[in-house]
Amino acid sequence: MKRSIKAYRHYYKALFDSLDKDTQEKVLYGMLLLKTQDRLPAKYVKFIGSGLFELRIEWQGNNYRFFFCFDEGNIVVLFNCFRKKTQKTPRKEIEKAYKLMEDYYEEKRRTV
């Protein structure tokens, strides 16, 4: 399986560019798994609900979360992402991801 990954707006790039080179490589490895593997263990991907997932990257004691959805069964769309500092994913980050996913599909609907 080979999927393409598309970032929606600036959230992914903003976080990625702020990371050091080693952390960026770990994130890219997670993205490679997402692109090429049919199924990933819960260590890497968690289903949030209503078509929303989070890619989970852990590196040197830091946890990073990248929200995404599948579009047309092939494209992975990245929404907001952040460095996780608490035990649970903050509700406001999940709500933001749902809003961005809604915006993405609305923009897509208007351009078709």
Side-chain angles (χ1 to χ4, degrees):
M1 166 151 290
K2 178 82 168 160
R3 297 180 186 99
S4 62
I5 294 182
K6 176 182 172 183
Y8 181 64
R9 297 191 178 157
H10 66 279
Y11 302 101
Y12 169 76
K13 183 171 176 16
L15 178 63
F16 187 81
D17 289 348
S18 74
L19 302 173
D20 64 73
K21 185 171 174 45
D22 289 340
T23 306
Q24 286 180 345
E25 287 179 13
K26 183 71 172 181
V27 169
L28 290 175
Y29 175 73
M31 295 295 172
L32 177 65
L33 291 175
L34 196 58
K35 285 171 68 171
T36 59
Q37 301 301 308
D38 228 3
R39 299 191 132 213
L40 290 172
K43 174 183 177 182
Y44 291 104
V45 173
K46 180 180 179 184
F47 177 67
I48 302 298
S50 300
L52 185 67
F53 298 82
E54 71 176 2
L55 176 64
R56 307 162 77 153
I57 304 295
E58 185 178 332
W59 179 247
Q60 295 180 336
N62 294 308
N63 294 295
Y64 301 92
R65 298 296 186 258
F66 301 86
F67 290 104
F68 69 93
C69 69
F70 295 95
D71 185 16
E72 298 177 9
N74 196 23
I75 298 172
V76 177
V77 180
L78 297 172
F79 298 113
N80 58 317
C81 33
F82 64 99
R83 181 173 165 218
K84 188 175 166 205
K85 298 177 183 177
T86 61
Q87 189 70 15
K88 289 183 74 175
T89 300
R91 187 82 206 139
K92 75 173 194 166
E93 293 292 345
I94 294 172
E95 289 168 359
K96 182 178 180 181
Y98 278 124
K99 174 70 171 114
L100 289 168
M101 186 168 70
E102 185 180 297
D103 292 350
Y104 167 78
Y105 283 116
E106 179 61 26
E107 285 179 25
K108 182 179 176 186
R109 186 188 61 76
R110 282 190 305 226
T111 61
V112 174

